Amino acid sequence: MKVAFLGTGLMGQPMAQRLLEQGVELIAYNRTPEKLEPLKAAGAEVVEHPHQAIAAADYVILMLTNTAAIYTVLLSDMSSRSVKGKQVIQMGTITPTESREIRDAVVSAGGDYIEAPVLGSRPEAKDGKLIVMVGAQKDQYRYSLDLLKHFGPDPILVGSVGSAAAVKLALNQLIASLTSAFGLSLEFIQRQGIKPDIFMQILRESAVYAPTFDKKLQRMVDGNYANPNFPIKHLVKDTDYFIEEAKEEGLNVSSILGVREILEMTMKMAMQNEDYSSLFEAIKMGEYGES
């Protein structure tokens, strides 16, 4: 098989690198050409225009920032003419509604479309241990399964297109909510003069413990949010996507709207490119921006 990989940013780069390491023939495109250099050095073919990658491949993997980027890269006039007969696999985080709309556009152009968003970050991408969620028909799932297994050992067929995108948003809502809840408790106990290690000892033995708490604890304690696996700006985007879709379903989104305010404050503190645990700094600043 020959795979076109469109979007080699924070997650796309290690995922594309994983395919090369597994012996997959890869042709890569990125809107920022400099980000292609590591893949080129590892043996990937790189191109200046997305339609060149699409036309040369059997499968087209999308790991782009948002829906606007997908339309620009995949469904511009030149690119859409190259989609005919290709299997398009959308692996970024977008809304279920957007995913279905893109499917319709791809099918209209003569291509085939499935979604396969992933849970995990750069270390899991490098090791092929991502959780891969698939929205597709069963025959489409079977057709793409061998390729998807390079990213995670057990890709899960959730349902039709839109269903995997929905699960991904639900999980990312938990990332935002759990991290902010943990940060609030952590700062509260510290201001009460309680050491974090005592708090964590009790928390780890309780039913409310989540492993993500330990993953973010040291970053929060040290105030070190550099070299993120998932930056604040991406969590803001995904939180907005979730709120939009949840409102459409008639859900009460008051809790996540509160988290969204904390994320917005973190962005205003110029931490948009920092690890998402940096929302802890906004929590420490208080409701009115005072520590």
Side-chain angles (χ1 to χ4, degrees):
M1 69 177 74
K2 190 168 187 178
V3 175
F5 206 105
L6 310 182
T8 58
L10 196 64
M11 281 292 288
Q13 196 278 332
M15 290 172 67
Q17 184 72 40
R18 172 72 181 176
L19 292 181
L20 288 171
E21 292 171 357
Q22 296 296 302
V24 175
E25 191 175 357
L26 191 74
I27 179 167
Y29 166 81
N30 195 76
R31 289 182 295 176
T32 305
E34 293 78 15
K35 293 184 178 180
L36 293 168
E37 290 303 318
L39 295 173
K40 184 178 181 180
E45 179 184 352
V46 301
V47 294
E48 293 183 11
H49 304 287
H51 69 87
Q52 295 170 317
I54 297 166
D58 305 302
Y59 294 86
V60 179
I61 292 178
L62 308 177
M63 199 63 186
L64 297 161
T65 305
N66 52 33
T67 307
I70 293 173
Y71 275 99
T72 299
V73 171
L74 181 73
L75 295 169
S76 65
D77 289 344
M78 187 69 76
S79 293
S80 63
R81 288 198 291 269
S82 304
V83 165
K84 186 176 181 180
K86 310 298 181 179
Q87 174 73 61
V88 176
I89 306 175
Q90 200 298 112
M91 302 192 74
T93 303
I94 60 176
T95 71
T97 300
E98 291 169 335
S99 190
R100 288 188 286 264
E101 289 173 352
I102 293 167
R103 173 201 59 195
D104 293 345
V106 168
V107 171
S108 294
D112 199 28
Y113 174 93
I114 69 171
E115 61 186 15
V118 298
L119 186 67
S121 54
R122 289 178 61 84
E124 290 80 15
K126 291 176 181 178
D127 295 337
K129 294 182 179 179
L130 293 166
I131 297 173
V132 183
M133 300 157 280
V134 185
Q137 300 302 314
K138 288 183 179 180
D139 59 335
Q140 295 173 307
Y141 170 75
R142 288 191 291 267
Y143 180 73
S144 300
L145 187 58
D146 286 344
L147 175 57
L148 294 175
K149 281 185 175 180
H150 289 304
F151 303 116
D154 298 300
I156 301 166
L157 179 59
V158 179
S160 59
V161 168
S163 61
V167 171
K168 172 62 173 172
L169 288 186
L171 291 166
N172 280 20
Q173 187 274 145
L174 280 174
I175 289 173
S177 295
L178 285 173
T179 305
S180 61
F182 174 67
L184 181 59
S185 291
L186 179 63
E187 184 61 12
F188 177 76
I189 63 102
Q190 289 189 105
R191 293 194 184 191
Q192 294 290 321
I194 301 161
K195 293 182 178 179
D197 58 342
I198 296 294
F199 174 65
M200 293 304 299
Q201 179 182 347
I202 297 167
L203 178 59
R204 291 186 191 107
E205 296 299 318
S206 75
V208 298
Y209 173 73
T212 189
F213 299 157
D214 267 311
K215 288 185 177 181
K216 297 305 175 184
L217 172 65
Q218 205 59 49
R219 278 190 179 273
M220 291 180 175
V221 170
D222 295 342
N224 178 11
Y225 312 111
N227 301 312
N229 290 322
F230 189 36
I232 274 285
K233 63 183 180 183
H234 290 168
L235 187 56
V236 168
K237 179 206 72 167
D238 296 351
T239 300
D240 286 343
Y241 281 163
F242 178 86
I243 291 169
E244 174 188 335
E245 293 285 313
K247 283 183 175 178
E248 286 293 321
E249 296 296 335
L251 299 178
N252 184 330
V253 295
S254 299
S255 60
I256 190 63
L257 285 175
V259 174
R260 179 61 176 80
E261 290 182 11
I262 293 170
L263 295 174
E264 181 65 25
M265 186 181 294
T266 310
M267 293 278 284
K268 289 179 179 177
M269 295 168 70
M271 291 185 164
Q272 62 269 18
N273 293 313
E274 303 294 316
D275 186 83
Y276 67 87
S277 56
S278 60
L279 60 80
F280 186 55
E281 297 302 314
I283 289 171
K284 289 160 62 178
M285 290 295 289
E287 185 178 359
Y288 303 105
E290 300 177 356
S291 59

